[in-house]
Amino acid sequence: MTVSSEPLKSPKLRLAILLLAAGEGSRLGGHPKALLKKEGNSLLKRFIHSIEKLHSIETLIVTGFYCQEVESEIISLQKEAQGPLAWIRNPNPEAGQSSSVRLGLESLKSNYDALLVALCDQPNLGAPEIEALLEQFNQRSANQEIILPMINGQRGNPVLFSKEVIETVLAIPGMVCRPFLDQHPELVKTFTSNNQAYLQDVDTQSDIQKLGLDCI
């Protein structure tokens, strides 16, 4: 498959961000990961504050389980956000993460150049890690449309996609980013890094202590 777009060298890359915050957090005993706290602030708040310097043209959060609690936090953040911040509620979050991704992709409204698909439970991820992905995007070769962080042979998150790839994904009924990536390795630029922030997320109670989060 060929996606016809040229590498973008402009530093004024139009960035959109899709943040997934719809999960059940079942292995945490039923607690929204987005509202876990580190140094007194929710992971959602820390992420939104960390991306302010990136000047994204759209930030869309997908909620689902615990929607009222998470959306209340978003409303609070909207009051101080320096850029566009919105949410969309997945009415069927039990259908899994892929349903949230598809809903999010279909709900984006901006004319972006690149889309960052991020998770809400990566406490050590911030602007430097995202800026490194954007730099890789700006340096990519023709037909490299996806930037995938790879740490010690493991896939990391978030992942950066060109607008052209997202449009192709949306043209395929039911398709989402990860299986598309698997089916089209020729479009992927692997970003090899030792930065564990791309891998570190919260799944269990032991992760809370390991990653220095406040106790639930």
Side-chain angles (χ1 to χ4, degrees), residues 2-185:
T2 300
V3 175
S4 58
S5 69
E6 293 299 321
L8 292 164
K9 303 301 182 181
S10 169
K12 295 182 180 179
L13 187 72
R14 293 171 298 180
L15 174 68
I17 297 173
L18 178 61
L19 182 64
L20 304 176
E24 186 175 9
S26 57
R27 285 190 285 172
L28 290 175
H31 188 87
K33 294 182 180 182
L35 301 186
L36 291 170
K37 291 186 176 182
K38 183 170 184 177
E39 298 173 350
N41 290 318
S42 71
L43 297 188
L44 179 56
K45 183 174 183 177
R46 288 172 61 87
F47 181 85
I48 296 303
H49 283 185
S50 73
I51 64 172
E52 286 181 347
K53 65 182 294 187
L54 302 175
H55 304 294
S56 61
I57 63 171
E58 180 177 12
T59 298
L60 179 65
I61 303 168
V62 182
T63 69
F65 288 103
Y66 320 105
C67 54
Q68 292 183 344
E69 297 96 320
V70 175
E71 290 166 12
S72 177
E73 179 80 340
I74 297 171
I75 290 170
S76 176
L77 292 170
Q78 283 179 322
K79 297 174 183 177
E80 56 190 65
Q82 297 183 11
L85 179 61
W87 79 86
I88 185 78
R89 183 184 298 180
N90 183 352
N92 299 299
E94 63 278 359
Q97 188 180 89
S98 62
S99 67
S100 294
V101 173
R102 183 73 191 193
L103 174 64
L105 296 181
E106 292 173 348
S107 303
L108 291 165
K109 301 182 184 305
S110 62
N111 185 25
Y112 58 88
D113 298 314
L115 174 68
L116 186 83
V117 180
L119 308 177
C120 69
D121 65 336
Q122 292 187 275
N124 294 325
L125 186 85
E129 287 74 28
I130 298 172
E131 287 173 335
L133 296 176
L134 293 171
E135 182 178 0
Q136 291 293 313
F137 189 85
N138 277 326
Q139 295 175 356
R140 76 197 195 281
S141 301
N143 209 44
Q144 289 182 321
E145 302 294 334
I146 303 168
I147 309 299
L148 174 67
M150 188 75 71
I151 299 84
N152 299 324
Q154 289 184 267
R155 288 180 173 184
N157 284 293
V159 181
L160 195 63
F161 299 86
S162 73
K163 177 73 177 295
E164 289 76 15
V165 155
I166 297 302
E167 289 176 343
T168 302
V169 169
L170 286 172
I172 305 171
M175 180 59 72
V176 291
C177 299
R178 184 50 62 97
F180 183 88
L181 183 157
D182 291 339
Q183 293 170 20
H184 297 285

